[in-house]
């Protein structure tokens, strides 16, 4: 009798068909990006708030292949008593779905997800009026359904979370919009896709409150010059204002 | 929309236009207005900090969001659930930013005995209210940190039995003279201002019964017949249908919607087309009643 615990494969096995050599090497060309955009153009963004029923506030964001969902619970009594009693706190949780793209991710939070959770909290805290909700926490859960560029994911998560916070009726100084940029030597390319990101020399993610004209968070990595950074910041600020307009529209549509 | 348009809408007394704002949007630059909830001032301009509808009372501007946590006021009737039994107090989930607090000193003792609470009462707190129990209470005061202090020192308030909980957005509950209503169909409804509604079988309580030692805090339901259960479910679904269409909820509205839906089966009331039809009929009936 055969071993029941062993999964026997088919008798005849066939090697998978691999495409070899036919894929052209990716070359970044500032005049013609793969999706036909200009270097200073964002992917078209779609946002919708109020998508998760049981959450106090929620939002969904889609830009090209990038898909992010966010749910906000609270403000509710914080369970840990150690936290400052005069201010509220934000609890952020950023997670890539296992199937979100490229290599399959684990269910456990990895280093990158933990870092992004922290960035999310840092980017949103200045905007939320935590002084009005002492002893309470607001829990923000961001789930990336499909990723296309990790910096773009982070930016989308910040935007989406801010929209969900507004949907939850949590007081904020302003809605936070975020945008990413990639450096290709001296060229700055807005909202790089995953393909472009693999070839960039550095990246920048800016979180910005357009109505107040204030930056809440900047994160930059890679090698760059001052002039390039300044250019990237200016581009991002403009792009954030565009994103903010979309956020406003989707909020008004849902109120 | 540019600035002039916004100000015009605010100044237009008789315009019924609803002005919707988002966080960070300038509401007005006129310093004559006072800032209310959901707004803050930045260099003499009044800026919204919530997404919602601008609400103006004389010179006071506040923003009313549609979906938010319950913001209590003293005297509000609330329905809540015990989450924790602590030192001399219970913690109550009432859909607010923080758990409400029900002090041992603000509940009635079984049998209506009037005396100070001592250690032995403290030890039997769980026999009064245990975790998971539903209760109705009134907001008595607020603590420094904004947590509400509740009390049940009236025969009206106390443990809830014989029914089911319906949860709706707290903004939909209208403040009325009485939040304890008995509907014509023989069902008691407690409209908690925090958005929790208790729908229960009507059980008349005589004064002698109320003074029985265990009348206040016992945990046993009355026998509820199938027909009564159906009516409770029908009322619950009717309330949910009203909430689904963002209709305000008070006793008359529930009665109208209940009547409008009486020809449908209980489980059909929540179907999209039927619930819409019910709510529209109820709304029309309500407006007609208003005109007379």
């Amino acid at each position: 009798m055969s071993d029941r615990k062993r999964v026997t494969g088919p008798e005849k096995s066939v090697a998978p068909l691999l495409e070899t050599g036919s894929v052209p090497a990716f070359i970044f060309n500032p005049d013609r990006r793969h999706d036909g955009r200009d270097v200073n153009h964002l992917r078209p963004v779609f946002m919708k708030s109020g998508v998760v029923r049981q959450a106090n506030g929620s939002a969904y964001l889609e830009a090209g292949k990038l898909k992010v969902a966010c749910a906000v619970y609270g403000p509710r009594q914080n369970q840990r008593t150690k936290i400052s009693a005069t201010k509220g706190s934000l609890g952020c949780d950023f997670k890539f779905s296992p199937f979100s793209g490229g290599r399959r991710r684990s269910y456990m939070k990895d280093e990158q997800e933990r870092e992004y959770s922290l960035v999310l909290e840092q980017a949103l805290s200045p905007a939320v009026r935590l002084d009005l909700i002492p002893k309470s926490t607001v829990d923000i859960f961001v789930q990336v359904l499909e990723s296309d560029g990790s910096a773009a994911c982070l930016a989308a998560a910040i935007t989406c979370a801010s929209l969900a916070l507004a949907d939850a009726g949590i007081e904020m100084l302003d809605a936070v919009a975020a945008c990413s940029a990639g450096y290709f030597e001296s060229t700055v390319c807005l909202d790089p896709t995953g393909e472009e990101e693999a070839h960039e020399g550095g990246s920048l993610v800016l979180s910005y409150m357009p109505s107040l004209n204030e930056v809440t968070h900047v994160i930059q990595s890679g090698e760059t010059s001052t002039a390039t950074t300044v250019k990237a910041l200016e581009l991002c600020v403009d792009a954030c204002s565009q994103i903010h307009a979309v956020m406003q529209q989707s909020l008004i549509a849902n109120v | 929309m540019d600035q002039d348009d916004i100000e015009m809408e605010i100044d237009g007394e008789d315009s019924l236009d609803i002005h919707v704002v988002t966080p960070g949007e300038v509401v007005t630059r006129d310093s004559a207005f006072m800032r209310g909830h959901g707004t803050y001032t930045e260099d003499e301009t009044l800026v919204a900090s919530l997404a919602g509808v601008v609400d103006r009372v004389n010179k006071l501007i506040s923003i009313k969001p549609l979906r938010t946590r319950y913001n209590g006021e003293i005297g509000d009737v609330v329905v809540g659930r015990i989450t924790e039994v602590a030192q001399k107090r219970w913690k109550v989930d009432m859909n607010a930013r923080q758990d409400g607090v029900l002090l041992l000193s603000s509940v009635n003792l079984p049998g209506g005995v009037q005396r100070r609470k001592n250690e032995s009462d403290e030890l039997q707190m769980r026999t009064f209210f245990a975790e998971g129990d539903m209760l109705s209470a009134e907001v008595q005061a607020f603590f420094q940190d904004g947590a509400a202090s509740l009390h049940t020192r009236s025969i009206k308030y106390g443990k809830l039995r014989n029914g089911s909980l319906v949860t709706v957005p707290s903004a939909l509950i209208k403040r009325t003279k009485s939040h304890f209503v008995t509907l014509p169909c023989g069902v008691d409804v407690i409209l908690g201002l925090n958005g929790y509604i208790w729908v229960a079988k009507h059980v008349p309580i005589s004064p002698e019964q109320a003074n029985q030692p265990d009348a206040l805090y016992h945990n046993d339901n009355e026998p509820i017949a199938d027909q009564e259960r159906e009516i409770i479910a029908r009322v619950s679904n009717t309330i949910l249908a009203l909430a689904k269409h963002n209709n305000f909820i008070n006793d008359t509205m529930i009665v109208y919607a209940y009547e409008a839906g009486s020809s449908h089966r209980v489980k059909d009331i929540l179907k999209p087309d039927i619930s819409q039809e019910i709510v529209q009929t109820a709304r029309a009936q309500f407006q007609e009643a208003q005109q007379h």
Side-chain angles (χ1 to χ4, degrees):
Chain A
M1 202 181 141
S2 64
D3 188 354
R4 278 188 293 121
K5 286 184 179 163
R6 176 172 295 170
V7 181
T8 45
E11 280 169 20
K12 210 177 87 183
S13 60
V14 180
L17 287 170
L18 291 174
E19 284 184 42
T20 46
S22 57
V23 181
F26 177 82
I27 303 157
F28 178 72
N29 179 358
D31 299 324
R32 224 182 69 209
R33 285 167 80 173
H34 269 205
D35 44 11
R37 278 184 293 157
D38 225 11
V39 277
N40 48 13
H41 270 117
L42 293 164
R43 281 172 279 193
V45 194
F46 168 78
M47 292 182 216
K48 186 174 162 65
S49 57
V51 286
V52 183
R53 247 190 87 95
Q54 66 267 41
N56 295 99
S58 57
Y60 171 78
L61 185 148
E62 197 175 312
K65 276 202 289 180
L66 189 68
K67 296 177 187 74
V68 180
C70 175
V72 168
Y73 297 85
R76 56 189 175 190
Q77 178 100 40
N78 57 26
Q79 299 302 317
R80 286 169 295 164
T81 42
K82 279 177 220 160
I83 302 170
S84 151
T86 52
K87 277 178 86 179
S89 59
L90 287 183
C92 297
D93 191 294
F94 181 97
K95 189 81 191 82
F96 283 105
S97 298
F99 49 82
S100 60
R103 198 185 195 89
R104 189 176 169 82
R105 283 178 181 265
S106 95
Y107 285 99
M108 309 285 273
K109 263 209 260 178
D110 63 17
E111 208 46 54
Q112 189 189 25
E113 287 165 334
R114 238 172 274 141
E115 185 199 326
Y116 281 7
S117 304
L118 202 68
V119 172
L120 199 60
E121 189 193 325
Q122 289 168 346
L124 294 171
S125 296
V128 180
R129 299 194 65 191
L130 293 170
D131 50 318
L132 296 178
I133 47 168
K135 285 189 180 173
S136 309
T137 32
V138 178
D139 289 315
I140 302 168
F141 297 93
V142 176
Q143 185 86 20
V144 177
L145 301 173
E146 191 173 351
S147 72
D148 192 8
S150 57
C153 271
L154 179 60
I158 294 168
T159 311
C160 193
S162 152
L163 187 65
L165 281 169
D167 182 50
I170 291 164
E171 292 203 38
M172 294 194 289
L173 294 174
D174 189 6
V176 183
C179 172
S180 65
Y183 302 135
F184 295 86
E185 280 148 20
S186 63
T187 322
V188 177
C189 166
L190 261 187
D191 198 13
T193 61
E195 207 176 27
E196 288 164 343
E197 199 178 72
H199 296 81
E200 71 191 6
S203 72
L204 176 110
V205 177
L206 177 83
S207 317
Y208 175 70
M209 299 192 282
S211 316
L212 294 182
N213 192 19
E214 274 177 43
V215 172
T216 64
H217 195 269
V218 189
I219 185 165
Q220 188 178 229
S221 63
E223 195 184 339
T224 168
S225 64
T226 320
T228 321
T229 305
V230 169
K231 197 166 122 193
L233 282 172
E234 279 169 1
L235 267 178
C236 281
V237 164
D238 285 348
C240 285
S241 305
Q242 290 169 23
I243 295 173
H244 188 253
V246 182
M247 289 171 85
Q248 278 187 319
Q249 268 176 19
S250 67
L251 268 179
I252 288 172
N254 198 39
V255 168
Chain B
M1 193 186 284
D2 66 45
Q3 199 49 44
D4 294 339
D5 287 345
I6 296 170
E7 274 169 23
M8 233 166 59
E9 260 178 52
I10 292 171
D11 291 336
E13 292 282 342
D14 48 7
S15 82
L16 282 168
D17 282 337
I18 299 167
H19 181 202
V20 181
V21 288
T22 53
E25 199 173 317
V26 174
V27 183
T28 176
R29 286 188 208 281
D30 193 341
S31 58
F33 290 107
M34 295 192 312
R35 72 188 159 89
H37 288 295
T39 58
Y40 64 95
T41 41
E42 175 91 21
D43 316 324
E44 304 261 307
T45 57
L46 199 67
V47 189
S49 63
L50 287 171
V53 180
V54 177
D55 181 43
R56 198 191 69 155
V57 180
N58 296 329
K59 291 268 168 211
L60 181 73
I61 290 183
S62 48
I63 314 286
K64 273 190 179 168
L66 175 62
R67 295 198 302 160
T68 185
R69 291 255 148 178
Y70 165 65
N71 266 320
E73 275 173 44
I74 292 175
D76 281 0
V77 175
V78 295
V79 170
R81 189 192 288 278
I82 304 284
T83 56
E84 196 182 326
V85 182
Q87 285 283 310
K88 293 182 192 172
R89 70 193 63 200
W90 289 272
K91 291 287 176 66
V92 184
D93 161 42
M94 44 183 261
N95 193 30
R97 288 194 288 251
Q98 289 176 65
D99 284 350
V101 173
L102 177 66
L103 288 168
L104 177 60
S105 57
S106 35
V107 302
N108 276 338
L109 285 172
V113 193
Q114 297 293 335
R115 61 170 168 82
R116 281 190 66 171
K117 313 290 190 291
N118 52 31
E119 286 87 24
S120 69
D121 294 319
E122 223 174 293
L123 290 172
Q124 347 175 16
M125 274 173 67
R126 222 173 237 113
T127 61
F128 303 158
F129 292 114
E131 290 88 347
D133 286 352
M134 297 296 307
L135 76 155
S136 64
E138 188 181 289
V139 179
Q140 187 174 33
F142 285 99
F143 291 108
Q144 277 283 299
D145 58 14
S149 172
L150 309 174
H151 82 91
T152 60
R153 302 211 77 148
S154 160
I155 199 80
K156 290 189 291 184
Y157 307 124
K159 193 171 272 185
L160 299 174
R161 287 175 286 262
N162 305 325
S164 65
L165 176 73
V166 183
T167 330
V168 301
S170 60
L172 296 180
I173 310 275
K174 277 221 161 181
R175 277 202 169 72
T176 49
K177 254 185 274 173
S178 175
H179 285 265
F180 293 83
V181 284
T182 305
L183 301 181
C185 53
V187 160
D188 272 350
V189 174
I190 302 174
L191 297 160
L193 277 161
N194 54 343
Y196 289 180
I197 300 174
W198 187 251
V199 186
K201 178 192 174 176
H202 179 61
V203 183
I205 306 169
S206 60
E208 308 92 70
Q209 272 178 317
N211 283 333
Q212 292 284 314
D214 68 339
L216 234 43
Y217 295 115
H218 74 87
N219 280 320
D220 305 314
N221 282 339
E222 310 279 324
I224 309 172
D226 284 355
Q227 207 188 352
E228 290 165 331
R229 282 171 198 267
E230 197 189 316
I231 298 175
I232 291 173
R234 188 177 280 278
V235 173
S236 305
N237 279 0
T238 308
I239 294 168
L240 284 177
L242 286 170
K244 205 159 92 180
H245 292 275
N246 288 326
N247 203 83
F248 68 87
I249 291 163
N250 63 6
D251 47 345
T252 37
M253 205 65 203
I254 296 175
V255 171
Y256 289 152
Y258 181 86
E259 283 164 5
S262 56
S263 59
H264 296 285
R265 282 186 304 169
V266 176
K267 61 177 179 185
D268 290 343
I269 292 175
L270 286 177
K271 285 187 178 162
D273 46 337
I274 296 176
S275 68
Q276 189 171 10
E277 173 204 319
I278 290 171
V279 173
Q280 271 172 359
T281 321
R283 252 185 223 166
Q285 207 174 349
F286 185 81
Q287 272 162 7
E288 205 176 305
Q290 289 291 79
Q291 281 160 6
H292 289 302

